Amino acid sequence: MLVEEGLAMIADTRTNAGVDNISSYRKLHVVDQPGDRVMAVATAGNLSVTQTALAMMRDGVHLSVGEDLETLETAPSMFRCAQLLGHALRSVRLSIAPAMEASSLNTSASMLLGGQIAGGPMQLFLIYSQGNFIECGEDTPFLQIGEAKYGKPILVSGLHGQTPLAEAVKLGLISFSTTMRCNVGVGTPLDMLTLRRDMISGDERRIERTDPYFEDLHDRWTRAQAQARAAMPEPPWLSGPGMARRRV
């Protein structure tokens, strides 16, 4: 979520290859060099593809023959970081796709890259398996990967460019709470990075299922939904003692 005040990125840690093969892996990877750059990469999709692409980035990537190796720690701009990640993701997927697809394994993967490098703008990108990417804009100040459908309505209805950063984090956590209730493939702990614009210093934290604030937020949201439903009027054609019977 990218708002005027700053950036918040949240990722769960649950991966699954079926209901009897569930495990936890970190999906939010942070580069924090206070005063120079702070950014995070969130991953979704095939775990081996995303982990290999991130390993390539740590060793260094060159976009063209003869260029020096670059990493997220040395690239001059967020746009360049997005190019490097896209190149790494595409290279890994192309190199392993034939063998994995021959075994009917899905090799799709995607990443979110968000952050700020000193002297440059704060940006948020969605990077696809093919290596291309899009940038988050003012009209829709958030991007999602992975399981998005259950939590997206919360963000669409409540988030805009002028939303305070604390409110954006609250909406993001409610979005995850709603998703976790609907899909066992998403679960705690949640990893989160918040970054205020132009401060080039981030706040990184892990939220467990028993986190007091997250538990309270989940309970309050559940009660608020129940109260809102109860307050809605019933369909007038289905209520009242004089309801007419229709012959079918």
Side-chain angles (χ1 to χ4, degrees):
M1 300 169 288
L2 182 61
V3 295
E4 181 62 31
E5 193 176 341
L7 171 76
M9 295 182 68
I10 311 173
D12 80 315
T13 53
R14 182 167 294 181
T15 63
N16 68 291
V19 294
D20 60 346
N21 187 12
I22 295 176
S23 56
S24 293
Y25 287 90
R26 188 177 183 90
K27 302 178 192 175
L28 187 70
H29 307 270
V30 177
V31 174
D32 191 352
Q33 297 178 344
D36 177 54
R37 66 190 63 207
V38 181
M39 66 184 74
V41 180
T43 64
N46 186 286
L47 189 62
S48 64
V49 172
T50 56
Q51 286 190 342
T52 305
L54 289 172
M56 282 184 61
M57 283 302 310
R58 286 191 291 270
D59 289 341
V61 172
H62 54 77
L63 296 181
S64 302
V65 177
E67 290 187 353
D68 293 335
L69 292 174
E70 294 180 89
T71 68
L72 297 180
E73 290 82 0
T74 63
S77 67
M78 290 297 300
F79 181 81
R80 184 68 168 185
C81 288
Q83 287 182 306
L84 294 170
L85 273 172
H87 179 80
L89 190 59
R90 180 176 182 274
S91 297
V92 171
R93 187 167 179 268
L94 288 178
S95 66
I96 69 175
M100 295 187 70
E101 290 175 354
S103 300
S104 300
L105 297 175
N106 187 356
T107 61
S108 64
S110 56
M111 295 180 174
L112 294 176
L113 168 69
Q116 187 172 18
I117 296 175
M122 179 174 284
Q123 293 174 284
L124 176 62
F125 298 94
L126 167 55
I127 303 168
Y128 298 100
S129 295
Q130 295 80 4
N132 57 319
F133 53 87
I134 61 172
E135 184 176 357
C136 183
E138 294 181 2
D139 294 334
T140 306
F142 68 92
L143 294 171
Q144 292 176 285
I145 54 177
E147 177 53 84
K149 58 182 176 292
Y150 298 113
K152 184 175 181 179
I154 305 297
L155 301 178
V156 170
S157 62
L159 189 68
H160 54 83
Q162 302 304 314
T163 300
L165 186 58
E167 177 75 8
V169 169
K170 181 175 70 175
L171 290 170
L173 292 176
I174 291 174
S175 175
F176 263 95
S177 173
T178 302
T179 301
M180 287 164 54
R181 184 182 299 171
C182 300
N183 188 334
V184 296
V186 179
T188 53
L190 306 177
D191 291 314
M192 178 170 63
L193 175 72
T194 54
L195 175 62
R196 295 187 183 276
R197 195 177 296 271
D198 297 325
M199 290 189 65
I200 320 297
S201 177
D203 176 47
E204 186 180 0
R205 63 183 61 241
R206 171 161 283 198
I207 299 174
E208 302 286 350
R209 181 64 184 88
T210 56
D211 180 88
Y213 175 73
F214 188 64
E215 279 192 323
D216 182 58
L217 193 67
H218 175 84
D219 292 341
R220 286 173 182 264
W221 181 248
T222 300
R223 292 196 302 270
Q225 286 180 303
Q227 293 168 0
R229 286 195 300 269
M232 295 295 102
E234 295 178 349
W237 60 89
L238 294 177
S239 60
M243 183 181 68
R245 292 181 179 271
R246 293 184 60 189
R247 180 173 297 177
V248 180

